[in-house]
Amino acid sequence: MWWVLLSSLRCIHYSPSSHPAPLCVPELGMFPELNNLLNTSPEGAEQGKLTLLCDAKTDGSFLVHHFLSFYLKANCKVCFVALVQSFSHYNIVGQKLGVSLTAARERGQLVVLEGLKSAVDVFFQPQEEPHPLQFLREANAGDLQLLYAFVRDALEPVDGGEAVWRCPVLLVDDLSALLSLGMGPVAVLDFVHYCRATVCREWKGNVVVLVHDSGDAEDEENDVLLNGLSHQSHLILRAEGLATGFCKDVHGQLRILWRRPLQPTAHRDRNLTYQYKIQDKSVSFFAKGMSPAVL
Amino acid sequence: MAAAGTCGTGTRSTGSVVAAASTNNVTSFHRRGPRASGADSGCSRLVSIAGTRPSVRNGQLLVSTGLPALDQLLGGGLAVGTVLLIEEDKYNIYSPLLFKYFLAEGIVSGHALLVASAKEDPADILQKLPAPLIDDSYKKECDEDVCSHKTESDVKMKIAWRYQLLPKMEAGPVSSSRFGHYYDISKRIPQQLIETSKWHGFFLPEKISSTFNVEPCSLTSGYMKLLQFIQNIIYEEGFDGSNPQKKQKNILRIGIQNLGSPLWGDDICCTENCDTSHSLTKFLYILRGLLRTSLSACIITMPTHLIQNKAVIARVTNLSDTVVGLESFIGSEKETNPLYKDYHGLIHIRQIPRLNNLIYDISDVKDLAFKLKKKLFTIERLHLPPDLSDTVSRSSKQDLAESAKLLGPGCGMMAGGKKHLDF
């Protein structure tokens, strides 16, 4: 059967821009192993995709750092809605991965909405102009129209000039924080839908969002959001804790699920699972049970 | 700085200096430039703030929680700009101790304090803080405890000599660095220490009675007023870098007691679906924003065992940086369990943040128990006693297996699991 031949770890020929040999570009500081697993590279990044990152019982923020540095290296224009950590946090980790967020921001490649800082500004002083996080002042949860307007203004391709950046990318860390701030799951799904229609469809860009999976905490709103997004994503990366508990050498398990393949000839809905260990500047991936600590 | 000479509060750790927050944009996370522990090159003005030290991993500024054992478990201390959430034990007996240790550490290190409570007047809380121990009296305490338990840590082990090499959980006070002090719970803090310290109190019944007509807002009025109070203090006292003329930078330690309890006007502990269900999470988010942009650290105790809706607990955990849960044995069947006879409860480190880094300091020890001795609160590693019975009786083995299952549910943030095979 032809899909058995394809199921070996390293040579996954999925997209037409596949690279038969493993990547060994020395200046790539982000997780090259993850690029191999996803069979992408900054030169051949696909467009028009919605990627869902989710974590269950563990911290999936390393995936956010990966995609941020990946798309900056890929010369895309990135709009980063950073809701849960300060800009300097991402900057310092980005430097370990080989990108400078401050430099990217200065040359106009990166637009950052710092959620924490803006929330304090919006909350304590009434703003004259509409602000994307204005819903914090209101008692009733509204919708995320202003946030969508912010994203649209940030990523709109400039008419008249030649394309400086490859494609627009929206990155959100994380959507579950919006639920904590009083937004209903439907409002958040609407926001993602609008962003997808504009960024992915119209401008042929990508959208990457992170949602926490509450697991057995029975967060119904979060489950609605997660299920809705899982249904419409092209690629789902799910970081899970190990079923047996904490381990020093294997930090968790990553499930990669490709859905809605862009080529009709490729295999549908492929699902791969790897285990990973996070190190200071990179993440190493290995097949289940093949951790170097165990072998 | 603290005037009392009882603890030698010259907290300049040898050779470790921290770069001051940059003048235009104060963030509380700043890296030490060169990795060498010697003096930095002269481009940035080097100011070391009393009572703080940089983390060995990434140079982040840390403050002590007041319990050196807890500092060790949290990777050196509590990072400036973060929230430490203490999930209260069932009868709220032990969590106030951690709260008081944090505040007492602030007074001894000379930090400014902001104490908020809906139940107790902050002035009363400060009166009841434990007294700091100086080196000599701590050694005496240790010796007393050691004699009473008939264990000598200095005696060389003859048979189980490998165990001697295991690190002990608690280190005695190190005279060279003054980060983290020991306190005597049976004594009150000296009055002059409180008087020389700078503290601000927020007592909810006083603040809330002033105005009745508050415009409808997304937060309950108690939380709203507390946020405004905190923001006011941070801005006026210049903790967010807004007043660069101040000569000495200092840390603001914020302590909020029983957040989420009905005394704050929040229904979250009373009903499962309440109207103000987003009030608490919004409060925590705005508080996090305030902390990240100022030189402050916050401790919050929260009665999470009263919160009916588990989803809220998960959200609260995600919005806090460090989460520590206390579980006391009082009233539960574990009180009579022979496994736990030496201890008063378990302490769970539920979450530790990854700040400016992909990795974090996590201790390997997952099974931790605490004990309240006459004068000290200690945290120790919990281990199963050896099964010394001649005949293996069924009941004792089953008891141990049951207890072993309850041990170390694992740090939920890293990897929770249904089975408990942590290794």
Side-chain angles (χ1 to χ4, degrees):
Chain A
M1 298 292 156
W2 62 274
W3 58 82
V4 171
L5 290 173
L6 285 178
S7 67
S8 58
L9 262 175
R10 284 279 173 175
C11 32
I12 304 169
H13 297 282
Y14 176 57
S15 69
S17 59
S18 63
H19 298 256
L23 289 171
C24 48
V25 185
E27 73 266 12
L28 276 182
M30 73 206 95
F31 313 144
E33 296 193 32
L34 185 54
N35 282 343
N36 285 344
L37 297 179
L38 297 176
N39 200 38
T40 57
S41 72
E43 291 81 28
E46 289 181 335
Q47 296 183 314
K49 272 184 12 186
L50 170 64
T51 304
L52 173 67
L53 311 172
C54 80
D55 56 16
K57 289 196 164 71
T58 186
D59 185 13
S61 57
F62 70 96
L63 295 169
V64 173
H65 295 298
H66 164 78
F67 278 101
L68 183 58
S69 56
F70 176 84
Y71 282 117
L72 284 176
K73 287 271 185 189
N75 209 28
C76 297
K77 177 141 192 199
V78 179
C79 174
F80 184 29
V81 179
L83 292 174
V84 287
Q85 295 287 4
S86 57
F87 175 73
S88 57
H89 165 79
Y90 296 105
N91 193 21
I92 293 176
V93 181
Q95 277 167 0
K96 291 188 191 227
L97 302 186
V99 288
S100 166
L101 297 191
T102 34
R105 197 156 67 162
E106 274 159 25
R107 61 175 180 256
Q109 191 188 4
L110 175 66
V111 177
V112 180
L113 173 66
E114 277 192 75
L116 291 171
K117 206 162 79 148
S118 317
V120 170
D121 293 334
V122 165
F123 193 76
F124 290 109
Q125 289 134 22
Q127 305 279 309
E128 305 87 23
E129 293 151 13
H131 192 277
L133 294 183
Q134 199 154 310
F135 59 87
L136 285 173
R137 292 183 68 87
E138 276 121 46
N140 294 320
D143 52 30
L144 289 165
Q145 255 189 358
L146 290 170
L147 186 59
Y148 164 69
F150 171 84
V151 170
R152 197 187 53 216
D153 293 337
L155 289 180
E156 186 142 28
V158 177
D159 290 331
E162 77 277 11
V164 183
W165 313 113
R166 178 190 269 150
C167 65
V169 173
L170 168 66
L171 185 56
V172 183
D173 178 23
D174 57 54
L175 286 180
S176 304
L178 289 173
L179 294 179
S180 300
L181 291 175
M183 276 291 145
V186 177
V188 181
L189 282 172
D190 285 343
F191 165 73
V192 175
H193 183 74
Y194 269 78
C195 290
R196 221 170 60 115
T198 316
V199 176
C200 293
R201 270 278 175 185
E202 204 179 316
W203 297 332
K204 306 279 186 299
N206 293 329
V207 174
V208 182
V209 294
L210 173 70
V211 178
H212 295 300
D213 186 359
S214 54
D216 50 356
E218 293 155 15
D219 191 343
E220 289 167 4
E221 291 183 346
N222 203 34
D223 290 341
V224 166
L225 179 61
L226 187 61
N227 292 337
L229 285 176
S230 306
H231 184 71
Q232 39 175 302
S233 319
H234 299 101
L235 174 64
I236 302 177
L237 279 93
R238 195 181 152 87
E240 299 167 340
L242 295 176
T244 44
F246 169 69
C247 171
K248 219 170 35 158
D249 299 303
V250 178
H251 292 152
Q253 189 163 281
L254 182 70
R255 278 186 201 277
I256 309 176
L257 175 63
W258 281 274
R259 307 185 70 248
R260 300 162 174 253
L262 299 178
Q263 295 86 352
T265 53
H267 188 59
R268 291 189 54 175
D269 280 24
R270 228 181 33 227
N271 189 347
L272 291 173
T273 307
Y274 298 99
Q275 291 179 339
Y276 62 85
K277 177 175 181 182
I278 304 179
Q279 285 140 359
D280 190 34
K281 292 192 180 183
S282 68
V283 178
S284 60
F285 294 86
F286 33 85
K288 275 206 237 190
M290 306 282 255
S291 158
V294 171
L295 293 175
Chain B
M1 299 297 118
T6 49
C7 270
T9 51
T11 43
R12 316 221 151 217
S13 330
T14 51
S16 59
V17 287
V18 173
S22 58
T23 46
N24 49 357
N25 185 18
V26 177
T27 53
S28 39
F29 305 133
H30 33 259
R31 277 175 91 71
R32 242 181 345 170
R35 271 281 169 189
S37 61
D40 294 337
S41 58
C43 44
S44 54
R45 217 165 30 115
L46 305 168
V47 175
S48 79
I49 308 175
T52 65
R53 73 170 173 201
S55 153
V56 290
R57 185 177 286 288
N58 52 7
Q60 196 150 290
L61 202 56
L62 300 175
V63 292
S64 170
T65 54
L67 262 183
L70 188 60
D71 286 341
Q72 206 177 353
L73 293 169
L74 298 182
L78 182 67
V80 169
T82 62
V83 169
L84 169 63
L85 178 74
I86 308 277
E87 296 183 349
E88 291 175 9
D89 52 305
K90 198 167 171 195
Y91 298 105
N92 201 18
I93 300 174
Y94 301 107
S95 42
L97 283 176
L98 295 183
F99 190 75
K100 285 181 195 161
Y101 275 125
F102 187 82
L103 296 178
E105 181 69 29
I107 290 189
V108 167
S109 308
H111 299 157
L113 294 185
L114 196 161
V115 186
S117 173
K119 194 163 67 167
E120 230 179 317
D121 196 344
D124 293 338
I125 297 178
L126 286 180
Q127 293 294 322
K128 292 185 199 155
L129 293 183
L133 283 173
I134 50 179
D135 287 337
D136 301 336
S137 52
Y138 176 73
K139 280 210 173 51
K140 276 193 223 135
E141 304 299 333
C142 266
D143 291 340
E144 274 172 25
D145 289 335
V146 154
C147 289
S148 64
H149 286 270
K150 293 196 180 75
T151 54
E152 284 292 327
S153 53
D154 293 336
V155 168
K156 276 176 69 82
M157 299 184 190
K158 293 201 184 64
I159 297 175
W161 54 274
R162 282 280 184 200
Y163 287 109
Q164 195 144 24
L165 304 172
L166 280 180
K168 298 186 180 52
M169 279 307 300
E170 256 190 337
V174 181
S175 51
S176 60
S177 71
R178 266 300 163 211
F179 178 88
H181 301 84
Y182 289 84
Y183 298 91
D184 183 350
I185 307 173
S186 56
K187 296 202 190 86
R188 296 276 173 93
I189 196 167
Q191 190 64 27
Q192 68 261 31
L193 271 183
I194 304 180
E195 278 161 17
T196 49
S197 68
K198 191 98 191 341
W199 65 272
H200 311 272
F202 179 93
F203 186 39
L204 188 65
E206 279 170 15
K207 308 276 179 178
I208 208 80
S209 57
S210 49
T211 54
F212 266 117
N213 48 342
V214 183
E215 78 247 24
C217 177
S218 42
L219 292 183
T220 48
S221 51
Y223 295 155
M224 187 76 204
K225 289 212 180 299
L226 178 57
L227 275 178
Q228 278 165 345
F229 184 76
I230 295 176
Q231 195 254 349
N232 223 13
I233 299 287
I234 288 180
Y235 180 69
E236 276 177 15
E237 304 283 324
F239 290 105
D240 56 351
S242 59
N243 198 356
Q245 280 82 26
K246 276 188 95 62
K247 332 186 258 291
Q248 195 87 15
K249 289 203 191 297
N250 204 357
I251 307 276
L252 175 67
R253 285 187 184 232
I254 305 175
I256 308 177
Q257 221 180 19
N258 303 125
L259 191 69
S261 75
L263 290 170
W264 285 98
D266 197 359
D267 282 343
I268 210 151
C269 291
C270 309
T271 66
E272 189 157 348
N273 299 314
C274 61
D275 299 327
T276 56
S277 58
H278 294 121
S279 207
L280 182 60
T281 44
K282 256 197 201 181
F283 171 85
L284 286 174
Y285 188 83
I286 309 274
L287 179 67
R288 190 185 230 207
L290 281 173
L291 290 177
R292 289 286 200 271
T293 50
S294 64
L295 282 174
S296 44
C298 181
I299 188 171
I300 301 180
T301 67
M302 188 181 288
T304 48
H305 57 97
L306 294 177
I307 295 182
Q308 310 285 324
N309 193 352
K310 292 216 186 323
V312 173
I313 303 179
R315 288 183 188 179
V316 160
T317 305
N318 282 335
L319 285 171
S320 316
D321 298 295
T322 315
V323 181
V324 172
L326 290 177
E327 180 193 342
S328 81
F329 296 146
I330 298 177
S332 76
E333 70 268 7
K334 296 182 193 171
E335 205 171 359
T336 48
N337 192 330
L339 183 66
Y340 300 126
K341 66 172 161 40
D342 291 329
Y343 303 105
H344 291 123
L346 297 176
I347 185 163
H348 307 288
I349 312 283
R350 298 208 198 277
Q351 180 171 280
I352 294 185
R354 294 173 205 245
L355 295 164
N356 298 343
N357 226 328
L358 285 170
I359 47 179
Y360 54 181
D361 282 314
I362 185 75
S363 83
D364 289 341
V365 182
K366 294 275 163 286
D367 310 317
L368 297 159
F370 65 83
K371 179 168 29 171
L372 180 61
K373 299 190 208 166
K374 197 168 51 138
K375 300 191 181 188
L376 293 169
F377 181 93
T378 56
I379 301 178
E380 285 167 29
R381 184 181 195 154
L382 181 66
H383 43 264
L384 292 175
D387 190 13
L388 292 172
S389 58
D390 293 330
T391 62
V392 176
S393 59
R394 262 182 198 267
S395 58
S396 71
K397 266 248 184 281
Q398 235 174 20
D399 270 348
L400 286 181
E402 263 300 309
S403 321
K405 253 197 261 176
L406 297 164
L407 280 183
C411 195
M413 205 201 107
M414 276 164 321
K418 300 190 187 67
K419 310 189 195 92
H420 304 290
L421 294 172
D422 297 336
F423 61 96

